[in-house]
Amino acid sequence: MLVEMAGIANAADETIKEKAAECTPCHGEAGISGTENIPSLAGQPDPFLQWQLVFFRSGSRKNEVMQPMAEQLNNEDVRNLGAYFASLTPPKASSPDDNPDLSKKGAEAAAGRRCASCHGDTFAGAKAVARLAGQREEYLVKALHDYKSSLRVGGGVAAMADVAYPLSEEEITALAHYLAHL
């Protein structure tokens, strides 16, 4: 019986790896994006990933590529993809910080906006809250603009809208730079 259960688990692992392979062209090998304005998925909290897939699937989060892909996923696929990408090693800052003054301004903005109260002291995220540390810089800028303009919705949309709306362009740039280099 244990051998049979192990075979079922291996088959499930292969199935999820096949589904996750469909994400690779955009989100990168091992869930680390090399594509502008496409987020890395590796190391994101499992519930966060699941919610994003559900938001895309329902159409409450808009994206012309993600919506049709998410519509094909059943609830088990959503759970399995969330767990799979959450288990991968998160991205590291790709290069040394080339603008420590900008990072300092970003750290001040993060403290002033109390970003760590939801995203954690290391900005690794938790539960349904995104990991920000090491994320692509231009994607973070885009996400903050989307929250600021109410283009992006989600579980924390009210909190993120409240945080992002008053941000200046300089603060958005500084926050994104700081978080991407953590």
Side-chain angles (χ1 to χ4, degrees):
M1 183 172 182
L2 288 176
V3 172
E4 187 176 312
M5 289 174 62
I8 292 169
N10 286 340
D13 286 347
E14 288 308 309
T15 300
I16 196 59
K17 286 180 183 175
E18 288 172 16
K19 287 211 183 274
E22 295 176 26
C23 308
T24 301
C26 295
H27 294 284
E29 288 293 323
I32 299 178
S33 174
T35 306
E36 187 173 336
N37 285 318
I38 304 290
S40 293
L41 303 179
Q44 286 290 349
D46 181 0
F48 171 76
L49 292 168
Q50 288 187 48
W51 274 114
Q52 297 314 301
L53 288 170
V54 168
F55 293 145
F56 283 125
R57 185 174 67 184
S58 72
S60 63
R61 184 167 176 199
K62 309 284 186 215
N63 181 285
E64 61 192 35
V65 174
M66 283 302 302
Q67 281 178 271
M69 294 184 88
E71 288 171 356
Q72 299 174 29
L73 301 174
N74 62 38
N75 289 341
E76 184 177 350
D77 294 335
V78 168
R79 285 189 293 273
N80 289 337
L81 284 167
Y84 175 75
F85 283 108
S87 74
L88 300 176
T89 303
K92 305 260 186 287
S94 59
S95 61
D97 190 346
D98 58 345
N99 192 339
D101 291 338
L102 188 59
S103 284
K104 183 179 179 199
K105 289 177 184 173
E108 291 167 359
R113 302 292 180 197
R114 300 184 5 231
C115 300
S117 64
C118 293
H119 293 278
D121 291 340
T122 62
F123 300 97
K127 299 180 183 175
V129 178
R131 172 186 189 80
L132 303 177
Q135 188 57 269
R136 293 186 61 84
E137 187 170 345
E138 82 287 341
Y139 176 75
L140 292 168
V141 168
K142 178 189 181 315
L144 286 167
H145 282 139
D146 287 353
Y147 280 118
K148 182 176 175 128
S149 66
S150 299
L151 284 177
R152 183 164 176 182
V153 300
V157 71
M160 282 306 303
D162 284 349
V163 169
Y165 184 75
L167 290 172
S168 68
E169 195 60 38
E170 181 182 5
E171 287 174 305
I172 288 173
T173 300
L175 271 168
H177 184 81
Y178 167 67
L179 295 166
H181 286 87
L182 289 177

